[in-house]
Amino acid sequence: MIAVVGHVDLTPQTLKPLEAELSGRLNRLAEPGSMVLIRAGRGLPVVAGRAARMAGLPLVVVLPSQGSVPALLPGPDRAAAGELLFLAAHVRLVPYDPADRGACRSADERLVCSSRRLLVVRDGSASHGQDVTAHLIAYARSRGIVTETLRAPDCRRRDAQPPAFPGESS
């Protein structure tokens, strides 16, 4: 399983060329039986889902749940989740509150732990202890999970803080 995580606030101008780059990288990393694992959301998860499809790899999408039913995602992530469900070969329901930053981080940690490899998309900026993406890199490495960082060409992040869905992955 190859988990893909990264900044949730990448600009559309960064995301567009990233799709082909991610597809090529996933193609190179794929082994027999490989799947791509992401947490549902807009931005990078959708690009990673499309890239998995282009690379011919099955996609596993993690959705938040309340009990045994999917939880409602914040508005901006609902359309993205719809596309991801269309692309998905498998769906995992994981109990967490998508509006709670700590719960999203815990869900990302579970996603990382269930993978053999972590592919991270980030801009390389200093984390100042607040960057969930930097935390996930350290978390994966401390568990012996092979981690590879992909720096998007001309990577830019939105100026504003990400709204409502603060977890940084996919």
Side-chain angles (χ1 to χ4, degrees), residues 57-144:
L57 294 172
L59 178 66
V60 180
V61 175
V62 172
L63 284 177
S65 69
Q66 295 174 335
S68 60
V69 297
L72 188 62
L73 288 167
D77 291 311
R78 288 184 202 144
E83 181 176 350
L84 289 169
L85 290 173
F86 176 76
L87 294 170
H90 304 280
V91 175
R92 284 189 188 170
L93 294 178
V94 174
Y96 73 93
D97 178 357
D100 179 327
R101 182 177 176 89
C104 290
R105 182 171 148 164
S106 293
D108 288 340
E109 289 171 351
R110 284 181 274 175
L111 181 141
V112 167
C113 283
S114 66
S115 302
R116 296 184 71 210
R117 181 178 296 271
L118 180 65
L119 180 55
V120 182
V121 177
R122 73 184 302 241
D123 66 356
S125 62
S127 71
H128 307 296
Q130 301 297 315
D131 187 340
V132 175
T133 303
H135 165 76
L136 292 173
I137 292 169
Y139 185 82
R141 289 180 177 159
S142 73
R143 282 152 182 77

Side-chain angles (χ1 to χ4, degrees), residues 123-170:
D123 66 356
S125 62
S127 71
H128 307 296
Q130 301 297 315
D131 187 340
V132 175
T133 303
H135 165 76
L136 292 173
I137 292 169
Y139 185 82
R141 289 180 177 159
S142 73
R143 282 152 182 77
I145 297 167
V146 177
T147 303
E148 211 173 298
T149 301
L150 187 148
R151 217 175 192 166
D154 298 322
C155 186
R156 298 182 198 278
R157 294 171 73 177
R158 294 188 303 260
D159 292 333
Q161 291 295 330
F165 198 64
E168 291 196 25
S169 80
S170 60

